[in-house]
Amino acid sequence: MRHHSFRSEEYAGVQQEAGSAIGKIQNEDELFFKLRKHFDYNVCPFYVPDRNTALALAHSSMTGPGDLYLCSSTSYVASRGHAAIKNIAGIEPLEVQSEFGKITPAAISGSLESAGAEDRERCRVVSISQPTEYGMIYSPKEISEICRCAHENGMQVIMDGSRIFFAAAKILKAFREQTMDAGVDATTFGGEKNGAPEGEAVLIFKKDAAEKFRENCKKNNTDTSGASAFSSGINRLLTERLWRYNAIHANEMAKKLAEGISGIPGIKLFCKVETNKVLAEVSPEIFQKLKDNYSLKSFRCPDQTVRFVTNYKTSESEIEELTGILRSTEQAEQDDNIHSS
C-alpha cells in the first residue's frame, strides 16, 4: 500500500481539537466577527464550501466575462483552479514569469508590455498565492509592491490564502499585514490545510466587489450548509491560536525532512524550504522507490522532481521511515556496484 503521508495537507484530516468545537457556533455571524477582529471590522467576509469555488467567486467579483487575470504559471489558479475560474467567472489566465512561484512588479510590467493592446485592456486582476506552490513566502513589502504595480495599471489583487497560516507562522506577521495592509483587494482564508473542517472564507476589502460577490453566490447557488462546522473549526484555530502551533509544527517537520534527505546521493533539493513543502530532484532509482511506497502529488517541475508536504500530524517517525526507505535504495546501489566490480 502506498502512503499518503506527504501528498497534501488535507490527508491529515480534521484535527480533533478543532473539530471538537463543532456545534458551538450556530451561524456565520460569530465567525465573521472573529475574522473582522483579525483583519478589519469593515471587511466583508463570506463562507464558501471549497477552494476552487472560493477562488472562482473572488475573481468573478472583480472581473467580467472575457477578462484576463495575471498569475504565475505554477500557481493553483493557472492549473487545477483554472477550470472553476473559467466556468464561473468566464476569464482566462495570462501567465507571468516567476521564480519558484513568486512574481514581481517587473514581471507584471513585462507581461503587460509584451501583451497586445487588446489583451492589456482585458487584464483586470493579479493573482498571487501566499505561500506559493513551492512553499516560498512573499514578505509584506513584496506584496505591497505588487499591489502598487497592479493598482497603477488599473488592476486589483487577489490572494490565494489557503495556506496563509504557514506563511504567518514563519515570518511572524499578522494576517492583515500580509493582505489588506499591503493593499490586497481580496483573499481566501482556508483552514482545511491546517486541521479545520472543509471550507474557506473569502474576505473582500471593497464594498462594490463584496456586493458583486454576494450576487454571484446567489447566482451560482453556493452551498452554505457546511458553514457551521467550518465556522466552529476556524473559531477554535483562531481563538486558541491552535493555527500557529499546527503551522509551526508542519514547517519544522519540513525542515527536518529536508535535512534528512539532503545528504542522500541521488537527491538534490530543488529550492530552499521556507514553509511546509520540500521539493527535490531525484535519480530514476529513487523516483521509482518513492512511487512504489508513496502517493506524491504531481507538480509542474522538471521530470523526476517530487514534492513532499508536511502537516500538523506529521511525525518524526514518518520522516525517519521515509529517509530509511531512501537510504535503503542508496545501500542497494552500493551493493550492486560491489557485486558488479
Side-chain angles (χ1 to χ4, degrees):
M1 183 180 72
R2 295 200 298 167
H3 301 292
H4 289 78
S5 314
F6 299 99
R7 180 174 173 85
S8 181
E9 297 93 342
E10 289 94 326
Y11 282 89
V14 176
Q15 187 176 24
Q16 184 176 359
E17 288 85 349
S20 64
I22 292 176
K24 293 182 180 179
I25 286 185
Q26 301 302 320
N27 55 59
E28 298 152 90
D29 291 340
E30 289 184 56
L31 166 69
F32 293 165
F33 176 80
K34 294 281 187 182
L35 292 176
R36 289 189 178 104
K37 188 176 180 180
H38 275 271
F39 288 88
D40 183 89
Y41 286 102
N42 292 316
V43 69
C44 298
F46 298 89
Y47 166 78
V48 181
D50 59 78
R51 182 185 186 186
N52 284 347
T53 305
L55 289 168
L57 288 171
H59 282 75
S60 70
S61 71
M62 299 181 183
T63 60
D67 285 340
L68 298 172
Y69 60 98
L70 279 66
C71 61
S72 164
S73 61
T74 60
S75 65
Y76 187 84
V77 295
S79 53
R80 296 183 66 196
H82 169 219
I85 293 174
K86 181 178 180 180
N87 181 51
I88 292 178
I91 61 177
E92 295 281 356
L94 179 63
E95 296 181 355
V96 177
Q97 183 179 1
S98 65
E99 183 176 12
F100 303 124
K102 291 178 65 174
I103 62 177
T104 63
I108 294 171
S109 298
S111 293
L112 292 174
E113 289 172 5
S114 61
E118 184 178 340
D119 283 347
R120 279 198 300 273
E121 283 294 315
R122 295 162 59 204
C123 293
R124 292 287 180 265
V125 162
V126 173
S127 190
I128 62 175
S129 303
Q130 175 72 331
T132 73
E133 293 298 309
Y134 293 83
M136 299 292 102
I137 298 173
Y138 288 99
S139 69
K141 180 181 178 182
E142 289 173 323
I143 296 171
S144 178
E145 290 171 349
I146 288 172
C147 292
R148 187 180 304 112
C149 175
H151 295 156
E152 288 174 352
N153 285 281
M155 297 181 290
Q156 299 186 74
V157 178
I158 295 175
M159 176 183 288
D160 177 357
S162 62
R163 293 184 172 98
I164 195 171
F165 289 112
F166 305 105
K170 177 68 174 181
I171 62 177
L172 301 178
K173 297 294 183 182
F175 301 127
R176 62 174 292 159
E177 289 185 56
Q178 304 170 65
T179 55
M180 62 176 298
D181 287 354
V184 171
D185 299 289
T187 185
T188 60
F189 190 75
E192 185 181 9
K193 296 182 182 298
N194 204 24
E198 184 177 4
E200 298 216 1
V202 179
L203 307 173
I204 309 290
F205 303 120
K206 292 191 174 181
K207 296 292 185 181
D208 54 344
E211 286 302 317
K212 188 174 180 182
F213 188 98
R214 187 175 288 105
E215 292 172 6
N216 287 336
C217 284
K218 294 178 181 177
K219 179 181 177 182
N220 289 276
N221 297 313
T222 304
D223 180 15
T224 60
S225 60
S228 177
F230 171 81
S231 299
S232 296
I234 286 289
N235 176 53
R236 186 68 180 271
L237 287 179
L238 295 178
T239 302
E240 301 186 10
R241 294 179 66 80
L242 186 59
W243 71 266
R244 190 169 182 269
Y245 173 84
N246 288 352
I248 287 176
H249 174 79
N251 291 349
E252 288 179 346
M253 289 299 101
K255 182 180 178 181
K256 186 175 290 290
L257 174 59
E259 292 170 350
I261 68 175
S262 59
I264 300 176
I267 298 180
K268 178 183 178 183
L269 293 182
F270 189 72
C271 57
K272 63 181 179 179
V273 178
E274 291 191 341
T275 52
N276 67 319
K277 294 183 181 63
V278 179
L279 280 87
E281 296 180 59
V282 300
S283 67
E285 294 78 14
I286 288 181
F287 186 68
Q288 185 58 50
K289 194 75 171 181
L290 286 168
K291 284 183 64 177
D292 292 341
N293 290 276
Y294 290 89
S295 175
L296 296 175
K297 204 168 184 178
S298 60
F299 198 74
R300 297 173 70 176
C301 288
D303 291 339
Q304 296 173 350
T305 299
V306 294
R307 186 180 77 172
F308 305 94
V309 182
T310 55
N311 56 62
Y312 76 89
K313 282 178 64 175
T314 302
S315 65
E316 291 191 23
S317 62
E318 288 176 317
I319 292 174
E320 290 170 0
E321 180 182 7
L322 171 60
T323 55
I325 289 173
L326 298 180
R327 290 192 184 281
S328 68
T329 305
E330 173 193 359
Q331 185 61 51
E333 290 179 0
Q334 291 175 353
D335 292 343
D336 289 342
N337 291 335
I338 292 173
H339 291 312
S340 61
S341 61

